[in-house]
Amino acid sequence: MESSKETGCQAREGPILCINNCGFFGSAATMNMCSKCHKDMVLKQQQAQFAAASIENMVNGGSSSSNLIEPLTADVVNVKAEPVVLKTDAPQLTPDLASSQSSEPKPKEGPNRCTTCRKRVGLTGFSCRCGDLFCSVHRYSDKHECPFDYRSAAQDAIAKANPLVKADKLDKI
C-alpha cells in the first residue's frame, strides 16, 4: 500500500459503470463511458463539427477550405446518450403514380418447365431462338420442331457482315 501512495496511483476497487447510466461498464480510455456511448459521442461531435464547418463555408463563400477539419478534443464531457433516429426521405407516391403502378399486375412466374415435355428445368433450362425454354433432351431445334428459320437468319448475318463492294469505274482516256 505504501508504494501506491508514493507513486500517486490508486487501484480501482471495482468496475466502473458508464457515466450515461446505460448499464454497461466504462473504462478510463473511453472517458468512463461504454464503447457504444463513446462511439455515439464521437459521432455527434464529428457531425456537429462538420455542420459548423459547412455553415461557415456557406457564409464565407468557400474561402476557408483549410478550416474544414479540426482535431477533435474532449475537454468537458457532459453528454447524455439519446437514441439515434434515422430519418429517410422516402418518395411519397402521388395518387396518379400509385394507381398506375397498381393497375399493372405482374405476371405470376411459376416454375420453369420444358415447353415440349413440361419437365421442370429450373436454372438449367435452355432458351431457344424461338423464345421457348427446353430441357437438355429437347434443346436442339430438330428435337422440338423449332419454327425459327435458321437459314434466313444466317443469310442475313452474312449479308450484314460482308457488304457488297463495287469499285468506281475508271474513265477511259
Side-chain angles (χ1 to χ4, degrees), residues 75-97:
D75 295 333
V76 179
V77 179
N78 289 330
V79 178
K80 291 290 181 180
E82 297 176 8
V84 178
V85 178
L86 297 176
K87 295 181 181 179
T88 59
D89 295 331
Q92 300 294 329
L93 293 176
T94 57
D96 58 339
L97 289 176

Side-chain angles (χ1 to χ4, degrees), residues 20-39:
N20 290 333
N21 294 326
C22 65
F24 292 102
F25 296 108
S27 69
T30 58
M31 297 178 283
N32 294 334
M33 287 189 249
C34 66
S35 60
K36 184 180 183 317
C37 294
H38 184 262
K39 184 175 79 170

